[in-house]
Amino acid sequence: ENGLYFSGESKFGERFALRYGLRYSMFYNVGPATVLDYDENYQVVDSTSYGKWDFYKLYHGLEPRLAANFVLNDKSSFKASYSRTRQYLQMASNSTAGTPLDIWFPASPNIEPQVSDQVSAGFFRNFLDNRIESSVELYYKKMSNSIDFRDHAQLLLNPRLEGELRIGEATSYGAEFYIKYEISKFSGWVSYTYSRTMRDIPEINEGKAYSAPYDKPHDLAIVFSYDLSPRIGLAANWIYSTGIPFTLPSGRYEVLGNIIPVYTGRNEYRLPDYHRLDLSVTIRGKNKPGRRWKGEWNISAYNAYARKNVWTLNFVQDDADPNRTFAEMTYLFSIIPAITYNFTF
């Protein structure tokens, strides 16, 4: 992957500034490799082999960007921007219950790079002699050549994964709210984002738009710190987000004694919401004149109230009653304490 770019900035008076740039990016596929050729039904019809250091596919294009900043007064400003980007490495996620899987796919003769156009605008305002900073930003993003696995994709031990992909468009939009404060011994920030990301791929979900695997409408973070004394500091942060979309079975049928699940539409359900609290205490060493060594102890607890955030769900057949199936939750971490010593010299 290579890139060539230039950027510049122009100011018009005391209040208006314009930043602009243009990037030219290139992505090469280089051997050794064997590239499979697919027909319109995604069946392999041929293959082509390339030797070491053979350059067999090139993608390239321009990526312009433009940003404007207008200062209303010494406390307020307005900003707007536009950018085009090309993503030569994309991740496809399988969100079906029981088989979560993320795979990265580089651009290739069968997969074009994702191209996105994004516009954003924001209003920024400071209060109390700049001790409180706040902002509101809106954005909209349109993506082409987005990839996702087809319905009922065969992923495990499959050497032809590119044939399981389908290609279409995606749209993302949202609003971000942010406030940062530093008053006396208190400091911290609060941010909230409402966002949606939808995919529209004709050969998936019967052609109906559906939530992307990383679509989380609500995202909230609260960060707080307080200096109890010159040597002791307290900190806490709480994080909350909507559960990620998931494809769950809505029914089942039996074939030769085997239970076959029947799934709903793509990503129609969500895992339980994610949230956790982290706490920490920092104890600093005495600041002695002429002493170069400075150290501090940090005692922390990750996920302090031991929230069992869901990593994935599995549907397990009851051994005692084959006609019953229950959901089994898997989570990765509960509370994690830690003690750290940091030093500088």
Side-chain angles (χ1 to χ4, degrees):
E1 184 173 2
N2 304 278
L4 179 68
Y5 72 94
F6 81 89
S7 62
E9 182 176 358
S10 299
K11 293 186 177 180
F12 303 90
E14 296 289 331
R15 296 181 178 274
F16 186 69
L18 195 65
R19 289 183 289 114
Y20 42 86
L22 183 64
R23 186 172 186 267
Y24 178 68
S25 65
M26 296 160 283
F27 182 88
Y28 298 91
N29 287 122
V30 185
T34 299
V35 178
L36 302 178
D37 299 326
Y38 297 88
D39 61 16
E40 63 275 6
N41 297 317
Y42 300 94
Q43 300 298 314
V44 176
V45 294
D46 200 356
S47 65
T48 306
S49 296
Y50 298 93
K52 187 176 182 180
W53 299 114
D54 283 346
F55 288 71
Y56 60 90
K57 186 62 178 180
L58 165 65
Y59 288 107
H60 59 96
L62 295 174
E63 301 177 13
R65 60 275 322 267
L66 180 67
N69 181 20
F70 183 71
V71 178
L72 301 175
N73 51 49
D74 59 350
K75 297 181 179 180
S76 306
S77 64
F78 176 80
K79 298 179 182 180
S81 66
Y82 162 79
S83 64
R84 163 168 283 201
T85 56
R86 298 176 184 272
Q87 185 173 333
Y88 297 105
L89 188 65
Q90 295 190 62
M91 183 176 71
S93 300
N94 177 41
S95 55
T96 301
T99 55
L101 185 66
D102 297 332
I103 300 177
W104 289 94
F105 289 89
S108 71
N110 296 312
I111 305 173
E112 296 186 15
Q114 180 175 256
V115 180
S116 68
D117 293 281
Q118 176 171 308
V119 293
S120 64
F123 178 71
F124 301 79
R125 169 81 176 183
N126 293 350
F127 302 90
L128 299 178
D129 297 326
N130 296 327
R131 287 180 293 175
I132 297 180
E133 301 175 8
S134 64
S135 65
V136 178
E137 294 185 81
L138 307 175
Y139 72 91
Y140 178 85
K141 186 176 184 179
K142 187 73 174 181
M143 294 156 277
S144 59
N145 301 328
S146 294
I147 65 172
D148 205 346
F149 291 120
R150 68 177 178 88
D151 295 330
H152 314 297
Q154 302 300 316
L155 303 180
L156 298 180
L157 304 177
N158 185 352
R160 302 175 176 181
L161 282 176
E162 285 189 344
E164 302 295 318
L165 295 175
R166 302 296 182 265
I167 300 173
E169 297 182 344
T171 302
S172 180
Y173 60 88
E176 300 177 352
F177 304 87
Y178 175 81
I179 183 168
K180 179 183 178 182
Y181 56 91
E182 187 169 351
I183 303 174
S184 185
K185 298 180 181 181
F186 294 88
S187 64
W189 51 269
V190 178
S191 70
Y192 168 74
T193 301
Y194 175 79
S195 63
R196 296 305 312 268
T197 302
M198 306 296 293
R199 285 180 176 167
D200 190 355
I201 300 178
E203 295 170 279
I204 295 178
N205 200 40
E206 299 179 346
K208 297 179 290 186
Y210 61 94
S211 298
Y214 47 86
D215 175 59
K216 296 187 292 185
H218 302 286
D219 194 301
L220 174 66
I222 301 174
V223 178
F224 164 85
S225 65
Y226 174 71
D227 288 329
L228 195 62
S229 71
R231 294 184 56 198
I232 300 177
L234 308 177
N237 68 274
W238 187 71
I239 297 173
Y240 167 87
S241 64
T242 307
I244 62 173
F246 232 56
T247 305
L248 299 178
S250 59
R252 64 182 186 175
Y253 58 92
E254 183 177 341
V255 178
L256 300 177
N258 296 316
I259 301 299
I260 308 298
V262 178
Y263 287 95
T264 63
R266 179 69 63 96
N267 293 344
E268 284 190 351
Y269 292 90
R270 291 184 180 273
L271 293 180
D273 294 346
Y274 178 97
H275 56 85
R276 76 170 198 269
L277 173 68
D278 303 332
L279 301 173
S280 68
V281 178
T282 301
I283 304 173
R284 308 177 186 92
K286 293 183 178 180
N287 189 12
K288 297 181 179 180
R291 185 180 182 181
R292 293 185 178 182
W293 182 282
K294 295 182 180 180
E296 64 180 29
W297 288 95
N298 182 269
I299 305 171
S300 64
Y302 175 91
N303 193 16
Y305 53 75
R307 163 73 173 178
K308 296 180 180 179
N309 288 300
V310 180
W311 179 60
T312 186
L313 287 177
N314 289 287
F315 287 84
V316 182
Q317 187 172 325
D318 194 330
D319 292 334
D321 184 358
N323 295 318
R324 295 182 60 192
T325 302
F326 60 90
E328 183 179 77
M329 178 185 77
T330 301
Y331 67 94
L332 298 181
F333 303 108
S334 182
I335 182 172
I336 303 179
I339 299 178
T340 307
Y341 182 71
N342 302 307
F343 60 91
T344 60
F345 58 91

